[in-house]
C-alpha cells in the first residue's frame, strides 16, 4: 500500500471496484419490506478498538464470528493487514483473511489491550487455511441493496467517510471526508420515517446506542465507501492476462467476441484463429471459450 493511497482513500477502506471483488449471483431478489423493518435490542459483546486503527479487523472478525457462532480475534486479522507506518487496513485485505483462514478465537489470540503496537504484533499467530474459501462479495452501495443483502446473506461490512464531530452520536451524517471507518451493518430498520441501516461499531458499549449506530439513506449516499458480504452465491469477475501483458476481462456470462477468441488462440497456439474457429466460439460464454481453448485460466479470477 503506497502512502498516496492511504491519503486518497483514508485509513481502512477503498471505494472502487476491481478484479478482487466478486458479485452476488444474478437473481431477481424480493424487494425489501421497509414497513416491517423494526428496531430491536441486540445481544453480544461490543468490542472496543481503543487507541488502535483496527476497525477493519474488528468488523471482519465480528462478521465471521456471527457466521460461526464464536468470538473471533480482531487481532488475528489486523496483525496481517495493517498499513505501515500510519496504521489502519484496507477492507478487502481484512475480508480476504476471513475468507481464506480460520480466524483464531479471541481466547486463543486476545485483542486486548487494544492499542496499535499490541494489535500489530503477530507473535503467537496461527494461520490455518479454510478447507473451502468463502467469497467476499461486493454489495451495490444503495440502502435497498444493503437491506436485501442483510436479509438474505447476513451481516454486511460497510465503510464510511466521516469526521469525529459527525460521529459524536449514534445518528451519523458522514458529510466530511476526513477519515474512513469500517463497521458491521446489522439490520435494516425504518426509523424516524427514514430507511436506515443499524450498525455495530467497535468503540465500546459507551458509544452511541449501547455501541450501535444508525446510518440513514442520506448518510449512505453522502459517506458510503463500500459494502461487502460473505456469500457462497456469487459470480467471480473474469480476468485473464496474456503473455504479452494485455488484459482480457468480462463477466462469466458475457458472450465471447472475435477479438477475445483470437487472443485465446494466439496464447495457446501461437497463431491467430481461423474464420471457422472464430465462428465456432463467438457467441459462447467467455469462460467456456477460454477453458476449451486454453484448458484453464491462468488467473485465480475465473468463472463461477
Amino acid at each position: 500500500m503506497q502512502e498516496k493511497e492511504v491519503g486518497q482513500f483514508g485509513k481502512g477502506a477503498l471505494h472502487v471496484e476491481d478484479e478482487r471483488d466478486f458479485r452476488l449471483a444474478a437473481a431477481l431478489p424480493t424487494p425489501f419490506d421497509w414497513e416491517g423493518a423494526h428496531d430491536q435490542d441486540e445481544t453480544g459483546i461490543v468490542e472496543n478498538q481503543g487507541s488502535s486503527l483496527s476497525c477493519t479487523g474488528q468488523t471482519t472478525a465480528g462478521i465471521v464470528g456471527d457466521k460461526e457462532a464464536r468470538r473471533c480475534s480482531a487481532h488475528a486479522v489486523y496483525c496481517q493487514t495493517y498499513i505501515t507506518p500510519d496504521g489502519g487496513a484496507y477492507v478487502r485485505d481484512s475480508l480476504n483473511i476471513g475468507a481464506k483462514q480460520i480466524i483464531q478465537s479471541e481466547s486463543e489470540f486476545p485483542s486486548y489491550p487494544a492499542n496499535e503496537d499490541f494489535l500489530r504484533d503477530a507473535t503467537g499467530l496461527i494461520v490455518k487455511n479454510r478447507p473451502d474459501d468463502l467469497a467476499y462479495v461486493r454489495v451495490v452501495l444503495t440502502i435497498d441493496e444493503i437491506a436485501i443483502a442483510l436479509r438474505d446473506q447476513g451481516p454486511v461490512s460497510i465503510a464510511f467517510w466521516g469526521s469525529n464531530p459527525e460521529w459524536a452520536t449514534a445518528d451519523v451524517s458522514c458529510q466530511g471526508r476526513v477519515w474512513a471507518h469500517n463497521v458491521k451493518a446489522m439490520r435494516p430498520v425504518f426509523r424516524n420515517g427514514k430507511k436506515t441501516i443499524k450498525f455495530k461499531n467497535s468503540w465500546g458499549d459507551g458509544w452511541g446506542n449501547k455501541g450501535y449506530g444508525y446510518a440513514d439513506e442520506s448518510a449512505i449516499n453522502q459517506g458510503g465507501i463500500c459494502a461487502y458480504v460473505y456469500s457462497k452465491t456469487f459470480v467471480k469477475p473474469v480476468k485473464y492476462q496474456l503473455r504479452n501483458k494485455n488484459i482480457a476481462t468480462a463477466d462469466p456470462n458475457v458472450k465471447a467476441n472475435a477479438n477475445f477468441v483470437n487472443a485465446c488462440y494466439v496464447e495457446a497456439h501461437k497463431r491467430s484463429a481461423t474464420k471457422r474457429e472464430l465462428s465456432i466460439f463467438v457467441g459462447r460464454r467467455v469462460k467456456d471459450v477460454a477453458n476449451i481453448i486454453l484448458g484453464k485460466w491462468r488467473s485465480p479470477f475465473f468463472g463461477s
Side-chain angles (χ1 to χ4, degrees):
M1 311 303 171
Q2 297 182 5
E3 290 300 312
K4 65 179 181 180
E5 292 179 303
V6 177
Q8 181 180 359
F9 297 119
K11 300 181 182 72
L14 293 170
H15 74 289
V16 291
E17 180 181 2
D18 70 7
E19 70 276 1
R20 291 172 290 180
D21 293 338
F22 302 154
R23 303 178 183 93
L24 286 171
L28 293 175
T30 304
F32 188 77
D33 176 20
W34 283 101
E35 291 185 1
H38 304 297
D39 200 358
Q40 65 184 62
D41 291 336
E42 310 294 341
T43 60
I45 296 171
V46 176
E47 304 290 354
N48 191 337
Q49 67 188 73
S51 62
S52 75
L53 297 173
S54 63
C55 58
T56 57
Q58 304 286 350
T59 299
T60 297
I63 291 176
V64 174
D66 279 1
K67 281 191 169 292
E68 299 177 349
R70 63 189 181 93
R71 190 182 177 194
C72 292
S73 169
H75 185 185
V77 179
Y78 188 64
C79 72
Q80 300 182 72
T81 57
Y82 68 87
I83 303 168
T84 57
D86 292 332
Y90 290 149
V91 171
R92 291 189 186 99
D93 294 342
S94 296
L95 291 170
N96 193 44
I97 297 296
K100 295 183 177 179
Q101 295 179 19
I102 297 176
I103 299 174
Q104 284 175 277
S105 297
E106 177 66 21
S107 59
E108 298 171 347
F109 198 66
S111 302
Y112 296 91
N115 60 65
E116 192 70 18
D117 289 341
F118 181 79
L119 290 177
R120 291 186 186 204
D121 187 355
T123 304
L125 175 71
I126 299 174
V127 175
K128 184 178 180 181
N129 294 332
R130 287 184 174 277
D132 297 305
D133 288 359
L134 291 171
Y136 56 99
V137 181
R138 188 179 71 91
V139 178
V140 177
L141 201 60
T142 68
I143 201 161
D144 288 289
E145 293 292 337
I146 294 170
I148 290 170
L150 284 165
R151 181 195 67 195
D152 297 345
Q153 307 290 338
V156 174
S157 173
I158 185 168
F160 293 101
W161 289 111
S163 63
N164 281 315
E166 292 158 351
W167 282 69
T169 68
D171 293 284
V172 300
S173 59
C174 305
Q175 294 177 4
R177 293 195 169 192
V178 180
W179 52 277
H181 188 47
N182 191 199
V183 297
K184 181 171 71 170
M186 299 293 294
R187 67 181 71 255
V189 298
F190 195 69
R191 182 173 179 268
N192 300 329
K194 298 179 180 180
K195 297 177 180 179
T196 303
I197 299 298
K198 184 178 185 179
F199 63 85
K200 187 176 187 179
N201 205 348
S202 53
W203 292 349
D205 57 15
W207 178 86
N209 181 12
K210 298 179 181 179
Y212 293 82
Y214 301 88
D216 63 21
E217 190 166 12
S218 63
I220 289 174
N221 290 341
Q222 292 170 1
I225 299 173
C226 60
Y228 290 93
V229 66
Y230 284 123
S231 176
K232 291 190 176 182
T233 56
F234 61 87
V235 173
K236 295 182 181 180
V238 172
K239 176 181 178 180
Y240 178 70
Q241 183 169 346
L242 304 175
R243 288 198 183 96
N244 62 10
K245 304 303 181 183
N246 290 333
I247 302 294
T249 61
D251 285 338
N253 295 319
V254 169
K255 304 301 182 182
N257 59 34
N259 289 336
F260 183 86
V261 172
N262 190 59
C264 289
Y265 262 88
V266 170
E267 170 71 359
H269 305 294
K270 308 299 184 293
R271 64 171 176 80
S272 293
T274 65
K275 289 184 178 180
R276 181 174 181 278
E277 288 165 339
L278 288 175
S279 67
I280 290 173
F281 290 105
V282 167
R284 293 194 185 190
R285 293 185 301 174
V286 164
K287 67 171 186 176
D288 294 334
V289 171
N291 281 332
I292 292 170
I293 297 175
L294 298 169
K296 65 178 181 179
W297 290 95
R298 293 180 176 86
S299 166
F301 306 106
F302 62 89
S304 53

